Amino acid sequence: MVEKHIVLEDIDPVVFYGIGNQHLQMLRALYPKLRIVARDNVVRILGDEEQMAAFEESAEKLRQHVLKFNALTEEDILDITRGKRTKDEVPDGVVCYSMSGRAIKARSENQQRLIDAYTDNDMVFAVGPAGTGKTYLSIALAVKALKEKTAKKIILSRPAVEAGEKLGFLPGDMKDKIDPYLQPLYDALEDMLPQVKLQDMMEKHVIQIAPLAFMRGRTLSDAVVILDEAQNTTPQQIRMFLTRMGWNTKMIITGDMTQIDLPRSQKSGLVEALEILRDVEGIGIVELNRKDIVRHKLVTRIVNAYEKFDKNNHKDESINKD
């Protein structure tokens, strides 16, 4: 009797095993000469050598399927184990799949422009209001690069701008103090990667999340680097960040000009960078607007209302000055 072990790397074992181990039960029925036992992310197989070789081949194809689509159905298992499916291609336009198996892709023309700009340039600026998918789509592109091994790591950063509270008064160590600023990045990653795998990647620094201040002195190579909320950088900070770029690296800089939290006397580094770099070859600039908002319909109405308020307020200030 032969015994082998298969380690399910890079995927969520729960997706592979199925709810209530339904997929495992199905595989046991398809390979009756084998004893298949699963624990955590390790599958232990005992039994007939010939059937074991067939199972190993099918298991690898199933693993690759889950890696691409974050989903597995009984129909997928039947097709793959019976050799009906030789290739699983991700449909055109899909960046990657969420942990629920939902296709992540452009949902507006400007979002597609962001994807195209990322493909055609090494540095991309994505500017637009809340809810336009800037950060989420950028992280999806980074996860895709990691899965396809075109990048060795993902580096995510944000400026830690204090909005009312002081960091020194927040409880905990430095990580505890800065984590609230980085939570939107964690949320997006958790929607695209298995929790256990995400934790492992962060521990091994394959995925790094850090405040902008921690970037000084580094050269970032073989990576997809994302600077989120760049409207809250100073000119010195964004200049420092942009010059961290190393070999085989892509940078995405996102920001919302309507949510600048810097002091009124301080010019936004993102505003200045766009003025200086707009015509530089190799840099793509994508401007999203309220038509690209993909959150709850109320977000669009809120953005419209605030835009109207800002315009009226600006007119009142101009009249008062005159």
Side-chain angles (χ1 to χ4, degrees):
M1 184 177 288
V2 181
E3 178 177 340
K4 288 192 178 180
H5 295 79
I6 295 174
V7 180
L8 301 174
E9 295 179 329
D10 304 327
I11 66 170
D12 185 352
V14 175
V15 177
F16 188 93
Y17 301 151
I19 298 173
N21 287 336
Q22 286 180 341
H23 296 163
L24 273 182
Q25 297 289 359
M26 190 173 181
L27 288 169
R28 287 170 183 143
L30 290 167
Y31 297 93
K33 295 181 181 179
L34 298 178
R35 184 183 173 207
I36 303 170
V37 180
R39 185 171 183 179
D40 297 328
N41 69 331
V42 179
V43 182
R44 181 169 163 249
I45 319 108
L46 301 91
D48 179 76
E49 188 172 356
E50 184 178 343
Q51 199 165 93
M52 185 175 293
F55 177 84
E56 282 185 290
E57 184 179 346
S58 294
E60 176 56 22
K61 289 178 180 178
L62 291 169
R63 188 190 71 81
Q64 290 288 344
H65 182 91
V66 175
L67 184 62
K68 287 180 181 178
F69 301 103
N70 278 330
L72 188 65
T73 66
E74 292 184 357
E75 185 180 356
D76 294 328
I77 295 171
L78 285 174
D79 285 349
I80 291 171
T81 55
R82 290 173 178 175
K84 290 183 179 180
R85 200 179 299 183
T86 56
K87 196 186 331 185
D88 274 322
E89 292 293 344
V90 174
D92 289 340
V94 175
V95 178
C96 63
Y97 286 81
S98 72
M99 289 308 301
S100 63
R102 175 178 54 84
I104 299 172
K105 57 184 179 180
R107 296 173 64 183
S108 70
E109 287 185 16
N110 285 327
Q111 285 192 359
Q112 186 59 52
R113 287 193 184 102
L114 171 54
I115 294 171
D116 294 340
Y118 172 85
T119 302
D120 297 337
N121 300 278
D122 288 336
M123 184 178 291
V124 179
F125 287 83
V127 182
T132 51
K134 307 180 301 293
T135 301
Y136 191 81
L137 198 54
S138 297
I139 291 179
L141 289 165
V143 169
K144 179 185 179 183
L146 201 61
K147 287 188 173 186
E148 294 179 350
K149 302 189 186 302
T150 56
K152 293 181 180 177
K153 54 183 176 283
I154 298 173
I155 301 172
L156 308 172
S157 186
R158 266 187 159 203
V161 175
E162 298 171 0
E165 72 281 356
K166 297 292 184 181
L167 281 175
F169 287 97
L170 294 174
D173 57 19
M174 180 54 71
K175 183 179 183 302
D176 295 328
K177 292 175 191 292
I178 64 176
D179 268 359
Y181 293 99
L182 307 175
Q183 192 58 49
L185 306 179
Y186 289 122
D187 291 343
L189 285 169
E190 287 173 352
D191 195 37
M192 300 176 204
L193 293 167
Q195 182 63 46
V196 174
K197 188 62 184 177
L198 174 58
Q199 189 64 38
D200 181 61
M201 286 179 166
M202 293 184 70
E203 288 175 0
K204 293 178 179 176
H205 302 292
V206 174
I207 295 177
Q208 302 172 27
I209 305 180
L212 182 59
F214 288 19
M215 294 294 166
R216 187 172 297 278
R218 298 183 64 183
T219 299
L220 310 174
S221 299
D222 298 309
V224 177
V225 187
I226 299 172
L227 174 60
D228 194 35
E229 300 287 354
Q231 76 277 1
N232 288 325
T233 61
T234 65
Q236 294 79 14
Q237 285 176 328
I238 200 165
R239 184 173 182 175
M240 176 274 293
F241 174 82
L242 297 178
T243 54
R244 300 304 93 202
M245 192 172 192
W247 295 105
N248 189 38
T249 288
K250 289 204 175 224
M251 280 189 168
I252 308 176
I253 299 94
T254 72
D256 178 359
M257 299 304 196
T258 67
Q259 294 190 13
I260 298 174
D261 297 321
L262 296 168
R264 287 184 176 271
S265 59
Q266 177 68 68
K267 185 175 183 179
S268 166
L270 179 59
V271 173
E272 183 175 280
L274 290 174
E275 292 172 0
I276 296 169
L277 304 175
R278 186 167 291 275
D279 298 321
V280 174
E281 185 179 353
I283 295 179
I285 297 175
V286 180
E287 296 181 358
L288 300 101
N289 54 54
R290 56 177 178 262
K291 292 181 181 178
D292 303 299
I293 292 175
V294 292
R295 290 182 186 167
H296 194 286
K297 60 186 177 183
L298 271 179
V299 176
T300 303
R301 296 174 191 169
I302 290 168
V303 170
N304 290 341
Y306 270 96
E307 282 187 2
K308 184 177 179 181
F309 173 81
D310 289 339
K311 285 179 182 177
N312 291 336
N313 196 41
H314 182 69
K315 285 180 183 178
D316 292 341
E317 287 178 358
S318 298
I319 292 171
N320 291 334
K321 284 181 181 178
D322 293 340

